[in-house]
């Protein structure tokens, strides 16, 4: 229960801040009530802090949401979305009209249940999956630091994150905290909504750690303050901005549902509307008299002025940009255009492969491609989750470590796959970068929800996932992906590539760089493969699938394969051809691109003859192209620990097995 | 570089311990060299500590690896597998012969690259995916505490975990640490191999936090010691055992590759064989003169005696068990047999549904089923990742919170999906429990690699995943699973259930409990569905798929559906039947079970008529049962934020759409 004197005492500290914050609280109450779904408690509890932040500290200009040097504001506890929508509406973001607020959580509105990047201006990233906002913000702070070094005087902004207990309970939160502390991201500030309430009740049900002490152990600057004391909040934010060498945590003691007489401080305020009655009681307790969705003119005016606070700074920045001599280069970076010379670099890389074919693992082929591409594309920033020597993600052009002392083009993410993926999302969202990062394909599991967010947001992030099958050998089933290709192919808007050789690997990289709104995942081999492609100017991987070998004038059977199994399919085809059969071998490096081809092309590639597929993975999903799963030579279950060749033989993924399956199908 | 005096100084502290530890080091050098793959450095660095642990503290009896009251030893940094295999061999586990050690990482050997549960006795869990060994150990410690309360005097053992930096960098490590600290798991002890080296080089590349301070902030008892000082290690372990209210971290400063003159203390010792030359130099430095794979008789004898250390304690325990009057009950619990009265409880639950059909969300149906099943099965232990009120996982029988003060049957896992899943694996591995835990289906992503390990190990864990489609409505695309059913169906040995009504939900639970070697995942709805099943004694869900409605004598079309879409398919079928078409509606709650049915049954259910499938999810994988993806009424991309009914209408997942698609197929 919240008693009236408590509200009054907080209000008295800074009455204007309190009144402005009440606008946010009222909108949250009204919108959640209107939607009859949503989370009023967190916006009500964080309104005072958000008001101080927007009113006095955040560098932004509501009339120019895309100003590259704006501070980034990330609402990591995305269920508090009405706080963000309220802020955007009140400060005057053009698209965030009161109609949008009234249509909170309704079809077609930009006010989704959780903030969705690309819907409303001012939403810097999609949040809701807990912990990821924070980890994405780490990527934004990395981007700021790296870009500032490249464009001195043009980049100097902070990243502010609001988050709750959930983000700190999620493991990814700790990955982000640890990395940010390690890299001394002094311009990253967290505002922790420490309200002691979680969905299941008081946080004491499951959470009793000393969060500030934990972050201090990870190298953070820590401040504790009352989250409803505007003066204390102002001091804390000022102090945070003064700290340059360490990220800052402002642990704010708050009351969830602040103002609601009967629900404040309880789990009931968390995820359900207050309803008419309690909403009215809350407004009365706050001294709020306006009608639903209405903001008194004076307060509205003050908020509009807050939204324009940064206009001057922005104008100065525009002048600085114009005077910098770097304007064009900077804009190209922010817009993500590939630099002049890029296509030539690809052509040279291609020619080099044709001149001297490479029998290498596709992970090595990726490194060969990266050598030229990363040199041609300064926006590329690499890294690995502590598997650099295995993923082969480090090349000369990015061979400068990102450290606490100086930004670099290579980020040692540590054994933090999920944190890496979310940070890459942040690097892409910030603008100026095309991030890529490596781990083993099997550990895509750890990063999976961030990969999903790359796809949902449509970000130009490239995942370099090596050791892509039982072909990795002795490390055994815990390290051998089986279901991963299928499970990743099922994600909408994700290009999953499994290139067959060095040429396809180069082509996959080229496509990834040309598609900034579609994340790419490269599944690459540990073991070597011959270079099957010998000439030709067309990027055939862009077709998704194509006939890579054809034996005989007619087609008795079509062999479909990806990655390391394409060479094996060719071997099987040669054997079948020697027996008099006509065989086409189709390499299918990317299903989504193939499915986007004209139907006639698809029909021509797939042909009318029976089809056999081979891929050292689960057959799941292959029935898109073959008649039944029995026509897939693949993995029936998990792998085993043994040298790779032995595993292929034991699991029956061999040219002989493919040929035998084909023979049986040809025979009918 | 390791200088000789340093080795000598460590050796002098406890020469016997040093000599015994050298047996482990020598075996690690030899086995990794023989396999020409593996990780020698960590076993060499942790050998001294492991020797102290097995020699003086670990409660075990090598002749009885399944002794229920043994201490559990978990090697969370599973790549150090040769340490574990060496320990098991030297202490006399019957199956861990020297031939197995010689065949390290080879086909058919029980000495897989990473420890695989079920291969060798003494391997308490599969490890390798970092952080999970620790999180699984938390589950074991939970199990110990809960079982001790039920069987006083019969259960009193500790859980020891060895781990490296990687486990502490992974987010799941922090989830486990936070939960263990919160619950005061005083019998959980970590031995942290703090060797300052990671694959990419010194840990300072990516990791600079104060780990002991972090754990202290999470409520842990913390000890720092020299990991090569046998006396200090002994004191630390003694101190750890004396602490009962908090878990203990022993942070051991170690040298990776201890003994290797040229590689100790470097990343080169981590993941590659030392080779003949450096192996010989290391042995020389350690004073080791035996031939490869040979252990001097005296040391071998001492190790055998260590393996028999616990024989007396075990004999006493057996006597105590016999005298307890609980012997039979205890054995049933450990063996996992369903109790007497279980089948009657299922029958009653079934009858109750037939007597009073329930139009409820399947998550509610799950709660209804759980009310009776959890009451009948004392081994069931529930929980949720902070979504109890949404997952509906808490019922009367388990309505006792597991706290630091007292064990209970309901675990508040906090917002820690991955940690929850791994802890459930630990509960199942320990024996005595059938754990289940809830979150939203979309957040199966966060837990995914632990779900995979449930399947890889074959554990009786049940995942209660609610809010299983766009039917959850306003929370929007971040919360709406689309690709998740497909991606989970692709995991081998995982039963994915999507029940259509209250009866199928009960049946799914019943199957899950009857299949202790196959984890089950229940995808359950937020929104209500009618009860379609009205009578019958057979568990039809066990068939995986079955004809739930048939309209007309002949079959012109078959409609396949799962979950909430089965009712919609029935509606479509009624419309088609009214137009004169014969229609069968097939409910497919579990694909794996259907695929395991006799072919004749499958053919009969699927029929020869054209098939249309409907599922509010990605069509990926459905071509296993339909001719092409165009025959699936599903989700083409991500969802949106709006009320559920609106979403179904906007995305075209309606009875009308199903009927229209069917009409087109019937027409040819």
């Amino acid at each position: 229960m919240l008693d009236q004197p408590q509200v009054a005492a907080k209000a008295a500290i800074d009455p204007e801040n309190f009144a402005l914050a009440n606008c946010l609280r009222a909108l949250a109450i009204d919108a959640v009530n209107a939607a009859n779904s949503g989370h009023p408690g967190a916006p009500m509890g964080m309104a005072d802090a958000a008001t101080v932040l927007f009113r006095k500290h955040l560098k932004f200009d509501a009339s120019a949401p895309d100003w590259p040097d704006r501070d980034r504001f990330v609402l990591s506890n995305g269920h508090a979305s009405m706080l963000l929508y309220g802020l955007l509406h009140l400060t005057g973001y053009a698209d965030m009209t009161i109609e949008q607020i009234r249509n909170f959580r309704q079809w077609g509105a930009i006010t989704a249940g959780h903030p969705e990047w690309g819907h409303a201006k001012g939403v810097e990233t999609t949040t809701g999956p807990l912990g990821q906002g924070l980890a994405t913000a780490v990527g934004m702070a990395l981007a700021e630091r790296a870009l500032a070094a490249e464009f001195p005087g043009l980049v100097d902004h902070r990243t502010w994150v609001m988050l709750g207990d959930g983000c700190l309970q999620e493991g990814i939160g700790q990955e982000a905290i640890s990395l940010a502390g390690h890299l001394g991201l002094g311009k990253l500030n967290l505002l922790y909504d420490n309200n002691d309430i979680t969905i299941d009740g008081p946080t004491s049900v499951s959470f009793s750690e000393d969060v500030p002490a934990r972050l201090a152990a990870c190298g953070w600057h820590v401040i504790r303050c009352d989250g409803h004391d505007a003066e204390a909040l102002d001091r804390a934010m000022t102090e945070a901005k003064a700290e340059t060498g360490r990220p800052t945590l402002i642990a704010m003691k708050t009351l969830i549902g602040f103002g609601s007489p009967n629900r404040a401080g309880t789990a009931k305020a968390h995820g359900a509307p207050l309803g008419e009655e309690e909403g009215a009681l809350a407004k009365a307790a706050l001294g709020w008299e306006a009608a639903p969705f209405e903001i008194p003119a004076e307060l509205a005016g003050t908020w509009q002025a807050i939204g324009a606070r940064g206009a001057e700074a922005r104008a100065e920045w525009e002048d600085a940009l114009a005077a910098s001599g770097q304007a064009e280069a900077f804009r190209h970076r922010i817009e993500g255009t590939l630099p002049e010379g890029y296509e030539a670099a690809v052509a040279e890389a291609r020619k080099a492969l044709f001149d001297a074919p490479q029998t290498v693992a596709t992970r090595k082929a990726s490194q060969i491609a990266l050598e030229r591409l990363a040199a041609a594309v300064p926006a590329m920033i690499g890294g690995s989750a502590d598997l650099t020597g295995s993923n082969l993600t480090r090349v000369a052009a990015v061979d400068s470590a990102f450290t606490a002392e100086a930004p670099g083009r290579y980020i040692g993410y540590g054994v933090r796959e999920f944190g890496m993926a979310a940070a890459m999302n942040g690097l892409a969202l910030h603008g100026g970068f095309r991030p890529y990062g490596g781990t083993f394909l099997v550990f895509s599991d750890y990063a999976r929800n961030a990969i999903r967010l790359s796809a949902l947001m449509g970000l130009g992030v490239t995942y370099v996932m090596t050791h892509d099958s039982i072909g990795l050998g002795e490390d055994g089933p815990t390290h051998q992906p089986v279901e991963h290709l299928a499970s990743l192919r099922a994600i909408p808007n994700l290009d999953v590539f499994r290139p067959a050789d060095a040429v396809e690997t180069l082509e996959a990289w080229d496509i990834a760089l040309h598609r900034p709104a579609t994340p790419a995942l490269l599944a690459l081999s540990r073991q070597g493969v011959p270079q099957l492609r010998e000439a030709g100017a067309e990027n055939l991987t862009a077709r998704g699938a194509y006939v890579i070998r054809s034996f005989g004038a007619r087609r008795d059977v079509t062999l479909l394969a990806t990655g390391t199994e394409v060479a094996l399919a060719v071997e099987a085809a040669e054997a079948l051809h020697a027996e008099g059969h006509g065989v086409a071998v189709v390499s299918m490096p990317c299903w989504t691109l193939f499915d986007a081809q004209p139907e006639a092309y698809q029909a021509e590639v797939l042909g009318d003859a029976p089809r056999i597929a081979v891929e050292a993975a689960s057959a799941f999903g292959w029935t898109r192209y073959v008649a039944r799963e029995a026509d897939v030579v693949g993995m029936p279950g998990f792998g085993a620990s043994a040298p790779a060749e032995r595993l292929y033989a034991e699991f029956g993924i061999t040219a002989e097995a493919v040929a035998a399956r084909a023979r049986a199908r040809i025979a009918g």
Side-chain angles (χ1 to χ4, degrees), chain A residues 432-575:
Chain A
F433 293 99
R434 298 298 302 268
Y436 69 89
T439 186
F440 288 159
L441 179 58
V442 81
F443 297 127
S444 63
D445 280 356
Y446 277 57
R448 189 170 169 89
N449 201 263
I451 299 172
R452 179 177 213 256
L453 285 191
S454 304
L456 178 58
M457 290 190 266
L459 302 178
V461 170
T462 306
Y463 294 94
V464 181
M465 300 285 191
T466 69
H467 296 60
D468 71 347
S469 75
I470 53 166
L472 65 86
E474 294 90 341
D475 275 343
T478 55
H479 284 55
Q480 290 164 353
V482 168
E483 72 278 18
H484 296 75
L485 290 169
S487 74
L488 291 161
R489 285 170 180 150
I491 297 179
N493 195 41
L494 175 69
D495 284 344
V496 177
F497 293 96
R498 190 166 186 251
D501 71 355
V503 176
E504 283 193 7
T505 305
L506 170 66
E507 290 176 341
W509 265 113
D510 184 30
I511 297 161
L513 289 167
H514 272 292
R515 284 164 65 85
T518 309
L521 187 145
L522 279 60
L524 303 170
S525 74
R526 178 186 183 220
Q527 74 274 31
V529 284
Q531 184 176 317
L532 298 170
R533 294 268 297 284
E534 289 153 3
E538 188 188 345
N539 183 327
L540 293 173
T541 301
R543 298 277 197 158
Y546 62 96
V547 176
I548 192 166
R549 288 282 189 283
S550 200
F551 300 89
R554 69 172 196 284
R555 209 196 273 200
D556 299 319
V557 69
T558 301
L559 304 182
L560 311 176
T562 77
T564 39
E565 283 71 72
V566 176
L568 189 149
V570 170
E571 199 183 327
E574 286 166 345

Side-chain angles (χ1 to χ4, degrees), chain A residues 319-495:
Chain A
D319 293 345
L321 178 67
S324 69
Q326 290 190 291
E328 198 186 333
F330 185 79
R331 290 208 192 279
H332 277 170
R333 279 294 286 279
I334 293 296
E335 285 159 14
T337 38
L338 289 170
E340 234 177 292
Y342 170 77
E343 299 300 343
V346 175
E348 280 163 28
R350 194 172 185 85
K351 182 170 182 304
L353 291 177
F354 292 148
D355 288 351
Q358 299 290 316
T359 292
V360 293
T362 52
R363 64 177 170 146
K364 179 68 186 170
S366 167
Q367 191 183 38
I368 292 170
L370 274 173
E371 285 288 3
R372 288 175 198 262
L373 301 188
V377 184
M380 290 180 79
I381 186 163
S384 167
D386 196 45
L387 287 169
T388 295
S390 297
N391 302 144
L392 302 180
T393 34
R394 194 157 181 159
V395 295
V398 299
D399 194 17
S400 52
F402 199 117
T403 68
E405 288 70 42
R409 286 184 64 187
Y410 198 81
I411 301 170
Y413 288 104
V415 190
R416 307 180 183 102
E417 299 82 6
F418 199 3
M420 172 176 76
M424 290 201 291
N425 287 339
L427 281 154
L429 285 163
H430 178 278
F433 293 99
R434 298 298 302 268
Y436 69 89
T439 186
F440 288 159
L441 179 58
V442 81
F443 297 127
S444 63
D445 280 356
Y446 277 57
R448 189 170 169 89
N449 201 263
I451 299 172
R452 179 177 213 256
L453 285 191
S454 304
L456 178 58
M457 290 190 266
L459 302 178
V461 170
T462 306
Y463 294 94
V464 181
M465 300 285 191
T466 69
H467 296 60
D468 71 347
S469 75
I470 53 166
L472 65 86
E474 294 90 341
D475 275 343
T478 55
H479 284 55
Q480 290 164 353
V482 168
E483 72 278 18
H484 296 75
L485 290 169
S487 74
L488 291 161
R489 285 170 180 150
I491 297 179
N493 195 41
L494 175 69
D495 284 344

Side-chain angles (χ1 to χ4, degrees), chain A residues 37-202:
Chain A
S37 102
H39 301 73
M44 294 171 75
M46 297 195 298
D48 298 304
T51 302
V52 173
L53 175 63
F54 275 64
R55 191 172 159 227
K56 301 198 173 173
H57 297 281
L58 190 78
K59 178 166 86 168
F60 77 112
D61 177 353
S63 73
D66 297 325
W67 175 21
D69 200 32
R70 70 192 181 278
D71 280 1
R72 304 306 196 262
F73 174 68
V74 172
L75 187 76
S76 190
N77 47 348
H79 54 270
S81 55
M82 261 314 300
L83 179 73
L84 178 54
Y85 301 148
L87 287 161
L88 299 177
H89 170 66
L90 292 168
T91 53
Y93 282 75
D95 57 352
M96 192 54 76
T97 62
I98 194 69
E99 283 66 42
Q100 294 288 354
I101 302 282
R102 284 178 181 274
N103 281 310
F104 179 53
R105 294 182 153 235
Q106 304 308 306
W107 180 262
I110 62 176
T111 45
H114 294 80
E116 301 285 334
W117 184 74
H119 289 210
K121 291 290 186 183
V123 173
E124 300 284 6
T125 180
T126 293
T127 52
L130 294 173
Q132 283 191 73
L134 165 56
T136 302
V138 167
M140 295 176 182
L142 291 169
E144 192 273 346
R145 184 180 281 184
L147 207 60
E150 289 187 69
F151 296 95
L154 295 180
V155 183
D156 182 10
H157 54 264
R158 309 186 74 77
T159 303
W160 299 88
V161 181
M162 281 198 154
L163 81 179
D165 300 294
C167 295
L168 293 165
Q169 290 183 54
E170 290 288 3
I172 186 176
Q174 173 61 20
E175 294 182 14
I177 287 162
S178 183
L179 186 62
H182 175 73
L183 293 176
L185 299 179
K187 290 184 184 168
L188 177 68
N189 305 322
L190 300 197
L191 297 168
Y192 166 33
D193 181 37
N194 184 6
N195 60 29
D196 294 326
I197 289 297
T198 185
I199 295 178
D200 277 0

Side-chain angles (χ1 to χ4, degrees), chain A residues 241-267:
Chain A
K241 284 156 69 181
E243 166 70 53
T244 58
R246 294 174 298 170
T248 295
L249 166 75
I250 302 176
M252 314 182 299
K253 204 77 189 170
T254 58
L255 201 64
I256 192 169
F258 183 90
S260 167
N262 299 300
R263 299 206 184 168
T266 76

